[in-house]
Amino acid sequence: MFGLAVRSLRKRAGGFAASFVAMFLGAAMVMAFGAMEDTAISSDATGAAEETLVTMTIVVGGWGSALVILAVSSTLALSVRQRAEEMALLKSVGATPAQIGRMVVGEATGLALVAWLLAIVPGFLGGAALLSLLHSTDQVPESVSYAFGPVALGIGLTLTLVSAVASAIIAVTRTARAAVMQSLADASVGRTRMSRKRVAFGIVFLLLGLNLAVVTATVMKDEGMNAMATAGQADIMASLGLALLAPWLIRRAAGVLSHPLGLLFGVAGELAVSTLRRRTPQMASVLMPIILFTGIATGSLYLQQIENDATAAAGLVSTVEQKNIATLNFVVIGMILLFTAVMLVNTLLAATAYRRGEFGRQRLVGATRGQVVGAVALEAAVLIGLGLVCGVFAAMFTVLPFSVARADALVPDIGPLIFVAVALITTALTAVTAIAAANRAAKISPVEAASL
């Protein structure tokens, strides 16, 4: 099965690209921040400098790892779903579930190792740039020199391997164990029902976010800037919870919008609704990063603005500690948002490119190229709208309670400009990528595409 895994990697390099990019970027990001711990250890940093370096590692080591695991599991699940027919054929000629499982795990392990090795240099450079920023903002003395060693390398390798192998096992389990006819049905129709574990985890994350929101508005109300510690995590928890429930959200949206889209956009609208219903898991893989990007960006940026306004309203000048926390917030959130943005584009490209055969068959039965691309644009519009709504909802887990804690007002007096900026970036990333990928995929002749 190892040889089969190698041949599969060569044959389906494009299909594995999304998973590889997620592993590579995740390893580079985690190693860059892990290097701060190496720096703290090798330089014998003490006091505030040591606390800053260790905090950088812990914060991104926690939330960064969660996002990397989600990205890798999502892209690997997408890859396995796209190969359901191939796996069904392997079982029909005698392959056992264990053999198929070892093949997929072997593929994931190989990708993880290569991704980690290639991410070492970017991780090293990213860590050096991060320490340089800390030097320039006087959070860490110039005497503290950069070190990139066992902590960074160990965190990067462990996270990449564990997330890849665990995600591969989870993704392939049902496909490998299902009967041949069931696998073929999943390949042609797709599986729309979420597992109970996924539903449970989604609800748990939402409840954790709600708990942090309540704690922020009550226990942390008179704690000043310390309330950022709980408020800043609430929107991340809520975003993760809604992202996990993405398939259910898409099914509800498709049911509500089926008649309006068909009435307003004709064939393109009907094709879009049909795809949302038939390919719910694939569409959910795209919706997840939209929710994460919108929720985390909106919540975090409003959080910092509320804190800045509260400090100014009190007639105070930001202290060194407050400036340090602001820098930490922007650096950490910036890295996380960059990762989720790439995850969005990466997943969307992989999901759309795989649909060349579907586009070809649609054109063979009468749909024009414009109608096919228009359907993809409508799908993207639905996902963007749904993602923005869910993202704003998740952001409220941070914005509202932190406004109560710092400004004694449920709604902050800031205005919608931050959200508008986030919404425009999200819309541009999603729409441009989806339409460009669909247009490229639809350029292939219908007969040739239908055979893919």
Side-chain angles (χ1 to χ4, degrees), residues 19 23 68-69 72-73 76 104-105 107-113 158-170:
S19 298
M23 295 175 194
V68 171
I69 291 171
V72 173
S73 62
L76 272 176
V104 175
V105 171
E107 294 165 357
T109 302
L111 286 176
L113 290 174
T158 301
L159 175 64
T160 309
L161 273 178
V162 170
S163 62
V165 172
S167 299
I169 292 173
I170 294 172

Side-chain angles (χ1 to χ4, degrees), residues 176-251:
R177 291 180 178 177
V180 175
M181 295 305 295
Q182 181 62 48
S183 295
L184 289 173
D186 286 346
S188 60
V189 179
R191 185 191 184 201
T192 59
R193 179 177 296 179
M194 291 190 298
S195 68
R196 293 180 180 178
K197 290 181 180 179
R198 179 165 181 161
V199 174
F201 274 114
I203 293 173
V204 167
F205 275 118
L206 283 172
L207 291 176
L208 288 174
L210 179 61
N211 177 65
L212 288 168
V214 172
V215 170
T216 300
T218 55
V219 178
M220 305 300 290
K221 190 175 188 305
D222 298 320
E223 297 299 321
M225 63 180 292
N226 292 331
M228 296 176 76
T230 53
Q233 300 179 60
D235 63 336
I236 302 178
M237 288 287 191
S239 297
L240 287 170
L242 290 173
L244 289 171
L245 297 176
W248 180 83
L249 294 169
I250 289 175
R251 288 200 298 273

